């Protein structure tokens, strides 16, 4: 009987210790803005050279920024930042691609979002019946776009449901 009580006590102590550790970790790695959370990432996959824009959705923010592959500001990446009760906490960095006319139409994403590049002629991007957010970039008039709220079973059909429209609403190739 004593061994059972000691075992239960040890389990409770370990569970409480784990909970306290995880909460403290969330608290120390949370920041007041998504941009601060992104700038405090240790050894990021892509260096943040310049933040372009931030898009907010419920408890998630996407911070678009220029990075460097060959030359400064030639690569687009996005930091996915999640909100918790202590502030904003880094989740992941998504590489979108080289900012180049040859890469327009390029898609990247997983789970609940898709990010892509569009040519300067594109005024609106539609995913099915949903209009997605457009993020203008400095380089060559290329634009980035973001669709958040994707259901995972639609990710495989993404190439077929995306339409690029010009200012008059005409579909572009």
């Amino acid at each position: 009987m004593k061994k059972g009580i000691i075992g239960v006590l040890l389990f409770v102590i370990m569970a409480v210790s784990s909970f306290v550790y995880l909460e403290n970790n969330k608290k120390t790695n949370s920041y007041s803005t998504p941009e601060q959370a992104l700038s405090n990432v240790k050894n990021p996959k892509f260096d943040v050279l310049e933040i372009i824009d931030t898009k907010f959705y419920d408890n998630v923010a996407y911070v678009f920024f220029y990075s460097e592959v060959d030359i400064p500001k030639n690569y687009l990446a996005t930091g996915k930042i999640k909100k918790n009760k202590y502030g904003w906490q880094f989740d992941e960095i998504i590489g979108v691609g080289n900012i180049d006319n040859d890469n327009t139409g390029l898609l990247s994403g997983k789970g609940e979002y898709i990010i892509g590049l569009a040519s300067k002629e594109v005024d609106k991007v539609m995913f099915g019946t949903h209009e997605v957010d457009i993020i203008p970039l400095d380089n060559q008039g290329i634009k980035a776009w973001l669709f958040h709220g994707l259901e995972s079973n639609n990710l495989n059909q993404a190439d077929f449901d995306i339409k690029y429209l010009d200012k008059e609403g005409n579909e572009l190739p």
Side-chain angles (χ1 to χ4, degrees):
M1 180 76 168
K2 278 187 169 185
K3 287 183 182 181
I5 293 173
I6 292 173
V8 169
L9 277 171
L10 285 174
F11 176 77
V12 168
I13 290 170
M14 288 177 18
V16 168
S17 297
S18 296
F19 177 77
V20 169
Y21 172 78
L22 291 173
E23 285 299 305
N24 189 43
N25 188 37
K26 278 185 192 176
K27 193 174 190 178
T28 57
N29 291 318
S30 295
Y31 299 90
S32 59
T33 67
E35 295 83 4
Q36 285 178 335
L38 180 62
S39 66
N40 283 291
V41 174
K42 293 179 174 86
N43 302 317
K45 184 176 175 182
F46 298 103
D47 291 330
V48 179
L49 298 181
E50 179 185 337
I51 292 177
I52 303 165
D53 196 4
T54 303
K55 298 293 182 187
F56 294 90
Y57 302 91
D58 298 323
N59 291 324
V60 178
Y62 296 89
V63 181
F64 289 82
F65 63 93
Y66 292 116
S67 192
E68 177 178 348
V69 173
D70 299 322
I71 56 175
K73 293 175 62 173
N74 75 327
Y75 194 84
L76 178 67
T78 305
K80 183 179 175 189
I81 316 295
K82 290 186 174 182
K83 188 168 187 163
N84 61 36
K85 63 184 176 181
Y86 303 110
W88 294 94
Q89 187 174 21
F90 172 76
D91 184 36
E92 66 179 327
I93 288 182
I94 305 113
V96 180
N98 284 326
I99 303 169
D100 186 300
N101 283 322
D102 293 336
N103 288 337
T104 58
L106 183 71
L107 304 175
S108 184
K110 62 182 180 182
E112 63 201 29
Y113 62 87
I114 297 177
I115 301 170
L117 295 173
S119 67
K120 61 184 173 184
E121 293 82 19
V122 173
D123 187 59
K124 188 187 295 185
V125 178
M126 300 292 293
F127 183 79
T129 59
H130 303 284
E131 186 174 343
V132 303
D133 286 322
I134 301 280
I135 299 92
L137 306 176
D138 293 341
N139 300 24
Q140 305 170 9
I142 294 175
K143 301 171 184 176
W145 56 267
L146 166 67
F147 180 72
H148 173 81
L150 181 68
E151 295 176 14
S152 59
N153 59 349
N154 289 340
L155 189 57
N156 294 335
Q157 299 171 345
D159 289 333
F160 306 111
D161 293 341
I162 296 172
K163 293 183 179 116
Y164 300 97
L165 307 173
D166 63 13
K167 288 184 187 221
E168 289 80 35
N170 300 319
E171 190 170 347
L172 297 168

